[in-house]
Amino acid sequence: MFSFVNIFGFSIGLASAILIITFIWHELSYDTFYPDVDNTYRVYCDQPGNLYMNSTKFNVMPIPFQPEVKNRFPEVDFASRLEQSSHLYSLDGENYTSEDTYMVDQDFLQMFDVQMVFGARENALKDDFSALLSLRTSQKYFGDINPVGKVLYLNDTTRLVVKGVFKDFSTNTHFSCRVILPYAIDKMRRSENNLKSWTDHNVQMYINLADGVSKKDFEKKLEELVIEKRGEDIKDRYYLQNVQKIHLYGKLNFELSSNGDIKYIYIFGAIALFILLIASFNYMNLATARSMKRAKEVGLRKVIGATRQQLFKQFVGESLVFIFFSFLISLILIEIFEPYFNEFVNRDIHFYQLSYEFYIIILAVILFIAFVSGSYPALYLSRFSPIKVLNNKVKGSLRTVLIRNSMVILQFFISIVLLICTIVVIKQLVFIKNKNLGFTTQNIISVRLTSQEQRDKIDFLKNELRTIPSVKDLTSSNYLPSSITSSTTIRHNTDDGEKRLLSYIIRVDNNFLEFYDMKLLDGESFNQDNLSGDYVILNKEAEKAFGVGRITGEEIRFGWPERKSYKVLGVVENFHFASLNQEIKPVTMVLNNKNNGRFSIKIAPDNQDETLSLIEEKLSFVPSKRPFTYHFVTDLIDRTYREEQRLSSLFTFFTIIAVVIACLGLFGLISFITDQRTKEIGIRKVLGASVQNILVMLSKNITKWILLANIIAWPVAWYFMDQWLQNFQYHIKLDVLIFALVGVLSLLIGLLTVGVQAIKAALLNPVETLKYE
């Protein structure tokens, strides 16, 4: 039983910890492998006062920034703009597919060491109509042949010559593209004013500084540059962020890809450490508990000449053997559970495909655990006096008992903290799922109109879709009410002069409010007969921000380059147009029943697959080269909280593992304790003790340990969960009932764990335990 508890507990602990360390290693390796990576930065803009999506920092720059810094500052070795988009490509008029595209300057290829399979990297983007394809994209269009010199068509209009094929970007980089085009193609579609403007921010920007150039000194030069170009009063500032920091510390508006978060690295690292500690404490606890049974062995070894150092090596060696077998089993467990773990963390990580440095670290960690886990029992056992041992005068010391009890308390402390964190995270996710967002979401699908032809014939498509019996209603807009990302400055004349307000903006159809069951607080809806023109409806927050009392019937102005006037038709109740991480801000809903790019379609809950097929058929009446795609609105909202859902799943999984390992240790420990007290139990029964008395006696200490662990764990868990909940503008309140529930649950788990052994000992016939006395 001792071997099973230790090997099984260590195997689960090691497998879990190694999987977590694998994930951490992968996250920390992002963008670390480029040449001269320490001097490679992206440039971002901080715009104080322009709060967008809870941040004033933007991953966009003016178009003329790149040639200016490249020509003006000799300390800049390389500089490249980057414009990310998704374009349609075709080969001989067929195979229309959408590919992730980067339009970049030539320097990009050198800065990020783009590896070529076919073609030369030097001057690959000098031709304005050239293209570089990823290996996977090249194989899709041309098979396994060398496609250099072949022709692709961009958006049916632009002829591109393939100049090279590059290796697919690694999974541990914030870049992810299939096609690289020269930035000249992006310039062709922009106006002359846009190309020269220092106020328009349109492109991402990367630079490489020469060795020895100070990041802070160069940022000071950028500050002087923006003042020169935009005037002394401008508050915008440009800063550098090393590319190695982007994945875990990014969090700018308009990131190229979904980033990780350094705080989750700390959380997962702590969980891995906790699980290893629990498994190690099990071994130390059980080894010291068994010490009295091995006392005579130690005494005899000392009598025949064994030194304390030899005994220490023996017991540490035993620890190594246990860890070795545990490690072999953990490798099997990793192989089994790795695909599920990858699904949890949304990564493609393979334990057996990592670097040698990683395996050396893992081996060092395992040897360290083996040494630490074996050291205390080895020191404790090797100090026994042979004279006392062989005369049966060795007793367990109070210090040893205290250390053993402390380890049990610490194990349950860790398990209780994890249990509380798991329940709080799950409750917050349930709160998010059930929160009234201010609009309905059930059985609504979102369909993008993927061609200008479809948008031009939007009324025709509406009429066709309404002929489908299972389509209950539909409306159009340029955004969903759950994800409005465009903003503008709206203006209103008040008695105190012109009031300006940053507002999120959405263009909607006449029936948009009724379709989404939004509550109109004042004025009228857009859904009136023959209503057309320049009308808006504001949310309550916008009316409040203007501070003029009733805004309905007033005029506001916005637009670029020409500012237009709009009449405020009404005010709608606030709704959550972004995730609950963000506070509700002013929203302006603009009447626009033409040329919207998105349908929201309410469908019957039955036979939805058939309904979707009919919708696709109706939309095909107006051809589009892009395939039909749809999303349920509820699924899109759930995606917003993917990180939190992943955290919940991981917490649940690893909490269960931590509790199982702790209970295994407790089970083994109580087995030895009851074994040591077998004769005592027999005597108590002879003197009249009942089974219940024996159960209470054996469970009393466990109860004390678990209650003490709860007292220590509650304030720690409260602090960390309170900090985590601050990430949400709208969240649950930490309830004492959660902590009480975990307290009761931990107590039940502990008592059930010891219950089997306690009942077995309490039911023993005293004749059997005392017959040799």
Side-chain angles (χ1 to χ4, degrees):
M1 186 191 67
F2 173 81
S3 300
F4 170 78
V5 167
N6 275 298
I7 291 176
F8 186 62
F10 256 131
S11 299
I12 296 174
L14 279 175
S16 304
I18 289 171
L19 282 173
I20 295 172
I21 294 168
T22 304
F23 168 73
I24 292 172
W25 183 270
H26 181 267
E27 292 295 284
L28 294 175
S29 71
Y30 264 73
D31 298 307
T32 57
F33 39 80
Y34 301 123
D36 200 20
V37 69
D38 292 333
N39 292 321
T40 304
Y41 302 90
R42 72 167 171 190
V43 190
Y44 68 90
C45 182
D46 187 8
Q47 300 178 349
N50 184 18
L51 186 65
Y52 176 80
M53 295 297 170
N54 273 8
S55 174
T56 62
K57 296 178 175 63
F58 295 84
N59 185 30
V60 282
M61 300 294 295
I63 291 173
F65 186 91
Q66 185 263 352
E68 185 73 26
V69 298
K70 186 80 185 289
N71 297 326
R72 176 184 288 215
F73 302 117
E75 58 265 52
V76 175
D77 286 341
F78 298 106
S80 175
R81 291 162 290 198
L82 187 151
E83 175 74 2
Q84 183 188 40
S85 57
S86 180
H87 285 302
L88 279 177
Y89 294 89
S90 61
L91 180 65
D92 299 326
E94 297 179 357
N95 304 327
Y96 290 100
T97 54
S98 177
E99 308 291 355
D100 290 330
T101 302
Y102 285 178
M103 286 173 277
V104 302
D105 293 292
Q106 176 68 35
D107 281 5
F108 179 88
L109 304 181
Q110 278 74 35
M111 260 196 293
F112 297 105
D113 195 27
V114 176
Q115 298 290 310
M116 304 302 290
V117 179
F118 298 114
R121 187 170 67 183
E122 291 71 27
N123 301 324
L125 299 176
K126 292 297 184 183
D127 184 345
D128 289 353
F129 297 98
S130 58
L132 303 180
L133 308 180
S134 72
L135 182 58
R136 193 184 311 171
T137 306
S138 173
Q139 289 169 342
K140 180 165 73 172
Y141 286 104
F142 301 103
D144 293 327
I145 67 168
N146 180 352
V148 173
K150 300 287 185 182
V151 173
L152 272 180
Y153 284 89
L154 169 67
N155 297 334
D156 242 2
T157 56
T158 307
R159 182 180 183 272
L160 301 174
V161 178
V162 177
K163 290 298 180 74
V165 174
F166 59 90
K167 288 183 181 178
D168 291 284
F169 281 96
S170 171
T171 58
N172 55 340
T173 175
H174 73 288
F175 294 123
S176 175
C177 77
R178 301 294 182 85
V179 180
I180 296 177
L181 302 180
Y183 186 72
I185 290 179
D186 187 56
K187 288 169 68 174
M188 291 175 192
R189 68 185 180 87
R190 297 188 181 276
S191 68
E192 191 67 24
N193 287 338
N194 191 214
L195 292 173
K196 294 179 179 179
S197 172
W198 281 82
T199 57
D200 296 344
H201 288 62
N202 305 105
V203 296
Q204 279 80 30
M205 179 74 194
Y206 293 86
I207 65 171
N208 179 261
L209 297 179
D211 286 338
V213 177
S214 165
K215 171 176 170 283
K216 286 189 176 180
D217 290 345
F218 191 75
E219 286 175 340
K220 183 66 178 173
K221 290 186 178 182
L222 294 181
E223 181 181 339
E224 293 168 0
L225 175 65
V226 71
I227 291 172
E228 175 190 322
K229 296 295 183 181
R230 300 180 62 185
E232 291 283 347
D233 297 334
I234 192 66
K235 295 180 180 178
D236 292 4
R237 291 294 180 268
Y238 300 143
Y239 296 101
L240 305 182
Q241 183 178 45
N242 190 273
V243 291
Q244 298 172 90
K245 300 286 187 182
I246 290 174
H247 180 64
L248 294 176
Y249 299 90
K251 302 305 176 189
L252 305 181
N253 288 312
F254 312 121
E255 291 284 358
L256 289 176
S257 59
S258 177
N259 287 340
D261 195 324
I262 190 63
K263 71 178 178 229
Y264 290 129
I265 299 301
Y266 294 137
I267 290 171
F268 294 151
I271 290 173
L273 178 63
F274 289 162
I275 289 173
L276 287 176
L277 281 176
I278 291 173
S280 300
F281 289 164
N282 275 358
Y283 182 85
M284 295 162 71
N285 245 341
L286 294 177
T288 51
R290 289 178 76 238
S291 60
M292 298 310 296
K293 286 193 174 271
R294 301 192 67 178
K296 284 195 170 118
E297 174 197 342
V298 173
L300 285 170
R301 286 181 184 275
K302 281 194 169 185
V303 166
I304 60 175
T307 65
R308 189 173 182 184
Q309 288 79 9
Q310 289 174 316
L311 289 168
F312 180 84
K313 289 176 184 176
Q314 177 201 339
F315 293 122
V316 170
E318 288 179 10
S319 172
L320 278 169
V321 170
F322 277 113
I323 293 284
F324 175 73
F325 281 109
S326 300
F327 180 58
L328 292 181
I329 296 170
S330 73
L331 293 178
I332 298 170
L333 294 175
I334 288 168
E335 187 69 24
I336 294 169
F337 290 106
E338 189 176 66
Y340 304 103
F341 181 75
N342 281 339
E343 201 173 304
F344 271 142
V345 297
N346 194 31
R347 299 285 188 272
D348 186 22
I349 311 169
H350 300 285
F351 173 73
Y352 298 104
Q353 297 177 8
L354 296 171
S355 64
Y356 291 114
E357 293 91 342
F358 174 79
Y359 299 119
I360 291 169
I361 290 171
I362 291 294
L363 183 61
V365 167
I366 290 169
L367 291 174
F368 178 75
I369 292 166
F371 181 77
V372 171
S373 300
S375 291
Y376 176 71
L379 289 169
Y380 178 71
L381 290 166
S382 63
R383 70 179 175 81
F384 286 160
S385 165
I387 296 172
K388 288 184 179 180
V389 165
L390 298 176
N391 282 288
N392 290 322
K393 291 184 179 179
V394 172
K395 295 181 180 179
S397 69
L398 177 62
R399 180 185 166 198
T400 305
V401 173
L402 286 174
I403 291 173
R404 198 164 63 229
N405 293 350
S406 298
M407 288 182 186
V408 173
I409 291 167
L410 191 53
Q411 283 180 317
F412 271 89
F413 160 77
I414 293 169
S415 300
I416 290 162
V417 168
L418 289 175
L419 269 171
I420 292 170
C421 292
T422 301
I423 292 172
V424 171
V425 171
I426 291 172
K427 276 182 70 73
Q428 175 63 15
L429 286 175
V430 170
F431 170 79
I432 289 169
K433 199 170 186 65
N434 297 326
K435 178 86 167 66
N436 180 7
L437 301 177
F439 54 90
T440 188
T441 59
Q442 293 302 310
N443 298 315
I444 296 175
I445 63 167
S446 170
V447 178
R448 293 290 297 271
L449 300 179
T450 54
S451 71
Q452 188 58 48
E453 291 85 349
Q454 287 183 334
R455 290 191 284 274
D456 290 340
K457 296 187 176 180
I458 192 168
D459 289 335
F460 168 76
L461 291 174
K462 283 182 191 176
N463 293 332
E464 288 297 322
L465 290 171
R466 286 193 171 107
T467 63
I468 302 172
S470 50
V471 170
K472 301 303 181 185
D473 197 4
L474 67 90
T475 191
S476 68
S477 59
N478 65 334
Y479 292 107
L480 289 173
S482 58
S483 56
I484 305 172
T485 57
S486 178
S487 64
T488 190
T489 299
I490 59 176
R491 293 166 165 83
H492 173 58
N493 288 332
T494 68
D495 293 338
D496 298 325
E498 185 182 70
K499 181 78 179 278
R500 298 182 183 185
L501 181 67
L502 184 68
S503 171
Y504 290 84
I505 190 161
I506 177 173
R507 304 188 184 279
V508 303
D509 210 338
N510 295 71
N511 66 332
F512 189 84
L513 269 64
E514 289 73 20
F515 179 91
Y516 277 106
D517 294 330
M518 291 182 169
K519 185 179 179 183
L520 192 68
L521 300 177
D522 187 30
E524 298 176 281
S525 169
F526 294 133
N527 199 16
Q528 303 173 40
D529 292 337
N530 302 318
L531 180 67
S532 63
D534 300 326
Y535 294 100
V536 296
I537 290 176
L538 305 181
N539 71 341
K540 184 66 179 174
E541 188 63 28
E543 182 181 56
K544 178 182 171 185
F546 272 126
V548 293
R550 190 168 184 262
I551 194 75
T552 300
E554 300 288 325
E555 281 194 351
I556 63 169
R557 298 180 309 284
F558 62 89
W560 189 90
E562 181 185 350
R563 199 171 296 147
K564 290 178 63 176
S565 294
Y566 295 83
K567 183 178 180 181
V568 179
L569 204 58
V571 176
V572 72
E573 180 65 270
N574 288 335
F575 60 94
H576 292 279
F577 65 89
S579 75
L580 296 186
N581 301 30
Q582 298 183 39
E583 191 177 0
I584 291 176
K585 297 290 185 182
V587 175
T588 302
M589 307 171 80
V590 185
L591 176 61
N592 180 41
N593 49 21
K594 303 290 183 185
N595 208 31
N596 281 329
R598 186 188 301 272
F599 276 143
S600 295
I601 307 172
K602 198 173 294 182
I603 61 176
D606 302 324
N607 301 318
Q608 290 188 342
D609 289 340
E610 181 182 341
T611 304
L612 291 168
S613 297
L614 290 171
I615 290 171
E616 182 177 7
E617 180 185 327
K618 296 292 186 183
L619 290 175
S620 68
F621 290 170
V622 180
S624 172
K625 295 181 178 68
R626 295 181 186 264
F628 168 77
T629 56
Y630 71 91
H631 298 282
F632 280 92
V633 173
T634 49
D635 292 341
L636 292 173
I637 293 172
D638 285 345
R639 283 186 197 176
T640 310
Y641 306 102
R642 193 175 289 165
E643 279 302 317
E644 287 77 14
Q645 290 165 351
R646 195 176 297 134
L647 184 65
S648 168
S649 300
L650 285 168
F651 259 127
T652 304
F653 181 68
F654 290 120
T655 298
I656 291 169
I657 285 173
V659 170
V660 166
I661 296 172
C663 289
L664 274 173
L666 190 59
F667 180 81
L669 186 61
I670 201 68
S671 299
F672 284 113
I673 291 172
T674 53
D675 188 47
Q676 286 178 330
R677 301 181 71 174
T678 300
K679 288 186 174 63
E680 177 194 340
I681 292 167
I683 293 169
R684 286 180 180 275
K685 291 193 77 173
V686 167
L687 295 174
S690 66
V691 173
Q692 290 84 352
N693 295 143
I694 303 298
L695 281 174
V696 170
M697 178 191 74
L698 291 173
S699 304
K700 187 167 59 177
N701 280 340
I702 301 298
T703 304
K704 285 192 297 188
W705 297 340
I706 294 174
L707 287 175
L708 183 57
N710 271 281
I711 292 169
I712 301 169
W714 286 6
V716 174
W718 185 290
Y719 172 77
F720 283 111
M721 283 296 95
D722 182 62
Q723 292 294 307
W724 180 73
L725 287 172
Q726 299 312 311
N727 293 320
F728 299 88
Q729 290 290 336
Y730 306 90
H731 56 77
I732 62 169
K733 284 187 167 55
L734 283 174
D735 193 342
V736 177
L737 287 176
I738 296 173
F739 296 81
L741 172 66
V742 170
V744 172
L745 189 61
S746 60
L747 201 57
L748 282 174
I749 290 170
L751 292 175
L752 285 172
T753 303
V754 304
V756 176
Q757 288 297 326
I759 291 170
K760 182 181 173 183
L763 293 176
L764 276 176
N765 188 335
V767 173
E768 295 296 323
T769 57
L770 300 175
K771 65 184 178 182
Y772 297 110
E773 296 300 311

